[in-house]
Amino acid sequence: MAALGWLTPRRRSATARSVLAGEAAAEAARKTSAADDDAALLTGTSEEAPEEPVFPVAGDVRAAAFFDLDNTVMQGAAIFHFGRGLYKRKFFERRELTRFAWQQAWFRLAGVEDPEHMQDARDSALSIVKGHRVSELMSIGEEIYDEYMADRIWPGTRALAQAHLDAGQKVWLVTAAPVETATIIARRLGLTGALGTVAESVDGVYTGRLVGEPLHGPAKAEAVRALAAAEDLDLDRCAAYSDSHNDIPMLSLVGHPYAINPDTKLRKHARAHDWRLRDYRTGRKAAKVGIPAAAGVGALAGGTAAALALHRRRR
């Protein structure tokens, strides 16, 4: 994928691969959003203008909102739920399900994105989808959303996104999850589109490689910066929402940062910088106790237990 020419000046902390990942995510998001707009025009579908809310500022076309996905909009990590769906469809074996289960258990226990675990999950996903058609995975992704993701959307965060939509502003997901999965979730929630990790494909078939690096940390900020430049947005008038301290670079870009269900480091940073906080969880203890039930199917629960036991033996 050719590098885009409209990227604005970057922070020193961003690597070349972060920039490439951000540019690729922004380009993919804009193409998907434009395609959806064209489809709506062709079908003649539209919704009545909603009643004008007090907040955010209505009619500000240079403002937009950027939402992290995992544990901000949705409980758990999208890539793990996607892996469960692929296992159900026999894309991989039981031992790989155990691996996914352990990663999901870690995510729920720690309440934060661990780069090593997230990278391991992405490597697993890339090896699984290699050789499959993009259209096939998109179709399966629609089914997986209904099976594992739809009931895990945080109502409070969903309401925040809707407030921006009702104000006439665009709302984007910004996530390390595959852009195809993120796009499905964004469309189902009625959002504008999604910035996500871009997997390389040739003639519609996945190669097993990424374009740049996963859209994580500084790469998210690069994607938001690139999209804002392309869409003529004023970042000082934009809002961003995340649960993770890894997204501080993205949150720091906008004039209205929000810490949603924040991890300890982000909560501390948000308080120090007078950022707004929202927490829609019922309690950390309840979340930890509920891990086996949250695993959904018996096989996944068993895989989680096996992985935890193996982890304890290795310590």
Side-chain angles (χ1 to χ4, degrees):
M1 182 178 294
L4 305 180
W6 33 262
L7 186 65
T8 56
R10 301 178 290 273
R11 295 175 180 266
R12 293 177 182 269
S13 61
T15 65
R17 291 179 64 81
S18 293
V19 174
L20 180 58
E23 291 177 330
E27 183 180 37
R30 295 188 75 233
K31 284 182 178 179
T32 303
S33 178
D36 289 344
D37 289 345
D38 290 344
L41 288 173
L42 289 173
T43 57
T45 58
S46 63
E47 296 183 0
E48 295 182 3
E51 184 178 346
E52 184 174 292
V54 175
F55 179 83
V57 178
D60 187 354
V61 296
R62 298 199 66 203
F66 302 94
F67 284 79
D68 169 56
L69 175 59
D70 297 344
N71 211 35
T72 301
V73 171
M74 182 177 67
Q75 300 176 51
I79 194 170
F80 300 143
H81 298 315
F82 187 64
R84 292 171 62 191
L86 292 182
Y87 170 77
K88 178 180 177 181
R89 290 159 177 82
K90 303 186 184 304
F91 270 67
F92 55 90
E93 301 300 323
R94 174 71 177 247
R95 72 173 184 275
E96 292 170 296
L97 175 66
T98 302
R99 189 179 185 182
F100 270 103
W102 159 242
Q103 291 160 341
Q104 173 68 358
W106 172 270
F107 182 87
R108 292 181 63 85
L109 280 166
V112 297
E113 298 174 6
D114 180 272
E116 182 178 347
H117 284 267
M118 300 299 286
Q119 181 65 52
D120 191 31
R122 282 185 285 271
D123 290 343
S124 298
L126 284 170
S127 66
I128 289 167
V129 303
K130 181 180 179 180
H132 289 276
R133 299 198 65 81
V134 175
S135 58
E136 176 191 9
L137 270 295
M138 287 291 288
S139 178
I140 291 173
E142 296 280 358
E143 299 173 2
I144 292 174
Y145 176 85
D146 290 327
E147 293 169 1
Y148 298 113
M149 301 180 187
D151 292 338
R152 290 177 169 80
I153 303 299
W154 292 107
T157 313
R158 178 69 186 87
L160 290 173
Q162 189 61 48
H164 286 280
L165 293 170
D166 291 346
Q169 298 176 6
K170 293 184 176 182
V171 177
W172 304 85
L173 291 180
V174 188
T175 173
V179 66
E180 294 84 1
T181 301
T183 298
I184 290 170
I185 296 171
R187 183 168 61 247
R188 291 298 195 93
L189 296 178
L191 309 183
T192 306
L195 299 148
T197 297
V198 178
E200 182 184 76
S201 62
V202 176
D203 296 328
V205 178
Y206 288 113
T207 65
R209 296 186 295 269
L210 293 182
V211 177
E213 64 181 15
L215 200 69
H216 187 268
K220 281 189 178 182
E222 291 298 324
V224 170
R225 193 193 307 274
L227 186 63
E231 296 276 317
D232 192 29
L233 299 173
D234 182 349
L235 286 171
D236 286 338
R237 288 143 71 175
C238 292
Y241 302 79
S242 179
D243 72 295
S244 173
H245 70 279
N246 294 309
D247 289 338
I248 288 176
M250 177 182 74
L251 294 169
S252 300
L253 278 181
V254 302
H256 304 279
Y258 285 77
I260 305 295
N261 305 327
D263 61 37
T264 302
K265 290 183 180 179
L266 178 58
R267 183 181 295 273
K268 182 178 180 180
H269 186 92
R271 285 175 172 166
H273 291 79
D274 199 26
W275 291 356
R276 294 189 178 104
L277 291 95
R278 300 285 188 277
D279 201 324
Y280 301 117
R281 297 166 294 190
T282 57
R284 287 300 261 241
K285 182 180 292 186
K288 293 179 181 179
V289 171
I291 287 174
V297 294
L300 185 61
T304 304
L308 289 170
L310 178 61
H311 177 69
R312 285 195 294 268
R313 287 199 296 271
R314 287 178 175 176
R315 294 184 63 181

